[in-house]
């Protein structure tokens, strides 16, 4: 199946509402844990702090890059995600690689999307996994963008510490409006 066909299928694939909200909650919790609202926040450092290596395509030989593309968890051409268990080190080894010929905004979107596959524990390619990665990465990207416009991070962190999730806050707001 061609890459663009899979992305179109994933874009039209509907996750259950509860799962979509759960993924948004997970994205906000992850960002709050890493204090994304602070001025020195760097999404690449956050990902690296979780044991995931990030490498541009230009650091691979064409042969190695082609081999890695066959093993990726994601279904996109601009990036790839690999997650393999190393029995010798007794840990998961994770890698996100991205096309460094893209703009920095495209690069950010690709890296976060591919990281989403690893963070969500995906083990194989599927339309469902691709849809989950899209929802999760959009949650992260949306909150990062909103933080630049209207600082919400400290507000979300305050409520998260009080045991309230983004889903609970959204449901409360919905009840107030309706």
């Amino acid at each position: 199946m061609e890459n663009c066909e899979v992305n179109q299928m994933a874009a039209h694939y509907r996750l259950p509402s509860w799962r979509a909200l759960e993924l948004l909650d997970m994205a906000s919790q992850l960002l709050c844990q890493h204090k994304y609202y602070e001025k020195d926040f760097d999404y690449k450092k956050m990902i690296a702090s979780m044991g995931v290596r990030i490498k541009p395509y230009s650091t691979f030989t064409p042969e190695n890059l082609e081999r890695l593309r066959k093993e990726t968890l994601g279904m996109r051409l601009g990036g790839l995600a690999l997650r393999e268990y190393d029995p010798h080190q007794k840990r998961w080894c994770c890698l996100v690689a991205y096309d460094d010929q893209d703009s920095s905004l495209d690069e950010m979107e690709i890296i976060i999307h591919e990281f989403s596959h690893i963070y969500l524990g995906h083990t194989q390619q599927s339309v469902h996994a691709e849809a989950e990665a899209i929802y999760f990465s959009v949650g992260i990207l949306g909150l990062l963008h909103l933080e630049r416009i209207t600082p919400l991070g400290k507000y979300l962190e305050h409520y998260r510490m009080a045991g309230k999730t983004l889903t609970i806050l959204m449901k409360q707001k919905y009840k107030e409006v309706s």
Side-chain angles (χ1 to χ4, degrees):
M1 204 176 303
E2 288 297 313
N3 193 348
C4 62
E5 288 177 54
V6 171
N7 282 335
Q8 286 176 346
M9 287 171 57
H12 297 308
Y13 179 83
R14 291 196 183 256
L15 290 173
S17 299
W18 65 266
R19 182 61 177 153
L21 289 172
E22 185 176 61
L23 291 165
L24 292 175
D25 272 341
M26 291 169 65
S28 70
Q29 288 174 20
L30 174 67
L31 288 174
C32 285
Q33 287 169 359
H34 290 272
K35 301 193 183 313
Y36 80 103
Y37 45 81
E38 292 184 353
K39 288 190 188 290
D40 63 344
F41 176 80
D42 180 330
Y43 74 96
K44 287 182 181 178
K45 287 180 182 175
M46 175 190 77
I47 292 170
S49 76
M50 299 174 73
V52 179
R53 293 186 66 196
I54 302 172
K55 293 184 73 167
Y57 280 179
S58 62
T59 61
F60 297 96
T61 65
E63 298 80 24
N64 281 342
L65 187 56
E66 191 56 38
R67 183 181 62 79
L68 293 173
R69 280 191 175 132
K70 291 177 183 174
E71 299 175 23
T72 186
L73 297 170
M75 299 177 159
R76 303 171 55 132
L77 291 176
L80 57 88
L82 297 170
R83 186 173 181 261
E84 245 178 66
Y85 188 75
D86 183 343
H88 301 296
Q89 294 185 19
K90 296 182 180 172
R91 67 178 182 94
W92 286 96
C93 297
C94 303
L95 169 72
V96 166
Y98 63 95
D99 187 349
D100 45 337
Q101 300 300 311
D102 287 331
S103 70
S104 61
L105 190 56
D106 288 338
E107 179 183 298
M108 179 182 188
E109 189 270 329
I110 289 166
I111 290 169
I112 290 174
H113 177 87
E114 297 303 333
F115 164 72
S116 297
H117 285 292
I118 293 168
Y119 187 80
L120 295 171
H122 295 158
T123 57
Q124 60 187 10
Q125 291 183 358
S126 72
V127 174
H128 181 80
E130 198 62 26
E132 284 193 342
I134 289 169
Y135 276 82
F136 187 75
S137 62
V138 165
I140 290 175
L141 292 164
L143 287 170
L144 290 174
H145 180 68
L146 283 171
E147 190 64 25
R148 290 192 331 220
I149 299 167
T150 305
L152 296 172
K154 289 183 180 180
Y155 174 78
L156 283 175
E157 175 69 1
H158 169 74
Y159 278 96
R160 189 180 74 78
M161 297 302 269
K164 293 189 177 187
T165 63
L166 185 58
T167 304
I168 292 170
L169 294 174
M170 289 168 62
K171 285 179 182 175
Q172 286 174 346
K173 278 291 181 198
Y174 179 74
K175 285 179 184 175
E176 290 172 12
V177 173
S178 53

